[in-house]
Amino acid sequence: MTRIVGIHEVELKPGVTGEEFAEAVHAFALADQSEGPNGWVISVIKSDRGTQLGGYGILFEIESVETRDRWISDDGITEMHQQFAARHPEYFSAWEHIQSLIVQPNQWNDYLVL
């Protein structure tokens, strides 16, 4: 199985601190995922060198393409994902909180680990 690394580079909205953003991402990552997207690890990242110096991001480490595609396809969220959202609105309200802290749209890519 090919592992995936997803990187979402984000710009914080004016007045949003790095600590506030990190707390929101950690709350999302810690939300009850007992029946959720297992095989995903979510981290906050901050650039300390390069073209995005001081910039923030969200790092998604996903165990396989298949694991990712069960939840999010090229067409968007899957039926399984929608059903999970219906049963766990707190999980997705945590994601919406993150989105409220960052400038939209944001840059993101999924990378295959070769």
Side-chain angles (χ1 to χ4, degrees):
M1 290 192 287
T2 302
R3 200 166 58 98
I4 298 285
V5 174
I7 300 174
H8 290 231
E9 294 182 34
V10 300
E11 177 184 344
L12 303 183
K13 288 183 176 177
V16 175
T17 67
E19 293 77 23
E20 182 180 5
F21 173 69
E23 286 175 13
V25 174
H26 290 133
F28 172 73
L30 293 174
D32 180 14
Q33 298 181 41
S34 58
E35 62 170 314
N38 294 318
W40 294 55
V41 175
I42 303 165
S43 304
V44 176
I45 54 178
K46 182 179 179 182
S47 173
D48 78 335
R49 184 185 288 182
T51 59
Q52 299 297 323
L53 179 63
Y56 288 88
I58 305 172
L59 175 68
F60 295 90
E61 298 174 83
I62 310 165
E63 67 184 13
S64 69
V65 171
E66 296 79 15
T67 297
R68 179 201 55 197
D69 291 351
R70 277 196 301 271
W71 291 93
I72 301 172
S73 71
D74 287 337
D75 298 324
I77 63 173
T78 64
E79 179 65 28
M80 187 168 98
H81 194 148
Q82 290 173 3
Q83 291 171 3
F84 179 76
R87 290 189 306 273
H88 298 279
E90 70 285 353
Y91 181 76
F92 293 94
S93 66
W95 179 251
E96 290 300 316
H97 179 61
I98 293 168
Q99 298 303 304
S100 75
L101 301 175
I102 60 177
V103 174
Q104 300 294 337
N106 58 70
Q107 298 290 321
W108 66 272
N109 286 287
D110 285 348
Y111 297 91
L112 302 173
V113 177
L114 304 178

